[in-house]
Amino acid sequence: MSLKREDPRINRVCDYINQNLDSELTLDQLSGVASLSKYHFHRLFTVFTGVSVVRFIQLMRLKRASFRLAFEQEQRIIDIAYEAGFDSPEAFSRAFKRIIGQSPTGFRASPEWPQWHSKFQFDMPSGGTLKMNVEIMNFAETPVALVEHKGPREQVLNAVGQFIAWRKETGLSPVKTSQTFGVPYNDPNTSAPEDFRFDVCGSFDGEVPENGYGVKSGVIPGGRCAVVRHRGSHDNIDESIYYLYRTWLPDSGEELRDYPCFFQYLNFINEVDECDLLTDIYLPLK
């Protein structure tokens, strides 16, 4: 039996796991989702992703827990442990430290994002050949508050944490009523890590008051843009970006404007399952 990277059976299972992290997930159940014999399913899943299905489930639960720890300071560690399927905070702490490399308390205080990223470097379903709906629209000039990150891509979440902390402390640019954007000024796959720049932004009218988080005023310029919606993990958003540049743009007859592509985050990892994340990618046009 041959296995393709975009095998829809394994893709279905990964989506099912991410949508049911709070449920008991058995080999019989997951092999049924894949429509595969359980005797073959486990091997195929490991060949496809590089990890066992049990390991994958644990990693996905710990990944969600790590976002809770870093960005939801009001959540108690014991509650995060139970949500992740552990019987006690002690068992959660041991597993978290063994896999992530920091204790939950230490990660909450100062997450080591580059090390964290390395724990999730395994193949994920690509969903097959991309067929994406691209629309052209006029984006209105948007004043923003922003935190500028410069350095390795894996450390962008430090800037995200700063921006979230500023939002919560000041009540300015509230997440429920303002728009949230990301602006990558270069391609992290081709830039030197120290040269990568990424702005974390929230719509905000007026001047940003002086603060200790490094948040300042900025603007995302208005103009024509090609827009495509990326569904799922931000880890594979490059696929959608490259689709715009490599597949759509050459046949579109359009020319690029002198501003980088940018993202609008329509929901957040602490609100929905990772597979249900929605991100609009804007490609500025003349």
Side-chain angles (χ1 to χ4, degrees):
M1 182 186 299
S2 63
L3 180 69
K4 299 178 181 179
R5 283 182 59 84
E6 65 271 15
D7 193 306
R9 298 166 298 180
I10 305 302
N11 196 62
R12 282 200 306 272
V13 173
C14 291
D15 284 347
Y16 185 86
I17 289 170
N18 278 308
Q19 290 167 352
N20 293 276
L21 290 175
D22 294 325
S23 304
E24 182 180 359
L25 296 165
T26 67
L27 183 59
D28 286 342
Q29 181 184 13
L30 296 176
S31 61
V33 171
S35 299
L36 287 166
S37 162
K38 65 180 180 181
Y39 302 108
H40 298 296
F41 165 69
H42 196 282
R43 286 189 175 89
L44 288 176
F45 188 94
T46 302
V47 167
F48 187 86
T49 65
V51 294
S52 71
V53 67
V54 172
R55 175 78 165 183
F56 182 85
I57 292 168
Q58 185 180 53
L59 283 168
M60 293 302 99
R61 286 174 172 160
L62 289 176
K63 189 175 187 180
R64 182 179 65 174
S66 64
F67 284 121
R68 296 272 199 267
L69 289 166
F71 302 135
E72 298 185 19
Q73 297 285 327
E74 68 279 5
Q75 290 281 346
R76 299 188 305 166
I77 291 179
I78 189 172
D79 293 330
I80 295 173
Y82 291 146
E83 182 189 49
F86 291 87
D87 294 331
S88 69
E90 291 78 17
F92 171 66
S93 182
R94 286 194 298 271
F96 193 93
K97 187 169 185 178
R98 183 177 68 252
I99 292 174
I100 305 300
Q102 291 181 272
S103 69
T105 302
F107 186 88
R108 166 165 276 181
S110 181
E112 296 177 2
W113 290 116
Q115 178 175 284
W116 177 90
H117 275 281
S118 71
K119 307 303 178 183
F120 303 101
Q121 297 301 309
F122 47 81
D123 289 335
M124 290 294 293
S126 65
T129 303
L130 285 175
K131 295 180 181 178
M132 309 188 77
N133 180 40
V134 181
E135 298 182 355
I136 295 179
M137 54 90 72
N138 286 308
F139 181 83
E141 181 176 281
T142 303
V144 295
L146 65 89
V147 169
E148 179 182 311
H149 165 79
K150 191 166 185 181
R153 178 187 206 171
E154 294 78 12
Q155 295 178 3
V156 166
L157 288 172
N158 287 330
V160 173
Q162 288 176 247
F163 195 71
I164 290 174
W166 173 81
R167 271 179 157 172
K168 288 183 175 180
E169 181 178 300
T170 65
L172 301 174
S173 186
V175 68
K176 295 299 183 183
T177 56
S178 60
Q179 299 170 305
T180 302
F181 301 96
V183 185
Y185 283 84
N186 40 22
D187 185 346
N189 298 306
T190 57
S191 303
E194 63 272 17
D195 294 332
F196 178 60
R197 177 185 166 191
F198 189 99
D199 288 352
V200 181
C201 314
S203 57
F204 179 75
D205 288 321
E207 283 297 315
V208 173
E210 187 175 340
N211 61 88
Y213 294 98
V215 179
K216 57 186 180 181
S217 299
V219 64
I220 299 177
R224 295 175 70 247
C225 293
V227 187
V228 70
R229 180 157 294 177
H230 174 81
R231 301 176 185 272
S233 173
H234 297 155
D235 293 343
N236 56 12
I237 200 169
D238 288 345
E239 293 180 15
S240 298
I241 298 171
Y242 291 156
Y243 176 86
L244 280 171
Y245 281 102
R246 291 176 178 170
T247 304
W248 178 81
L249 184 62
D251 296 329
S252 69
E254 297 286 348
E255 294 184 54
L256 297 176
R257 186 156 35 98
D258 189 22
Y259 190 75
C261 71
F262 58 95
F263 313 139
Q264 182 178 355
Y265 303 105
L266 304 181
N267 53 17
F268 303 98
I269 190 64
N270 60 312
E271 299 175 339
V272 299
D273 295 320
E274 190 170 26
C275 55
D276 294 325
L277 288 170
L278 297 176
T279 308
D280 282 348
I281 303 172
Y282 288 81
L283 187 64
L285 306 172
K286 290 184 178 178

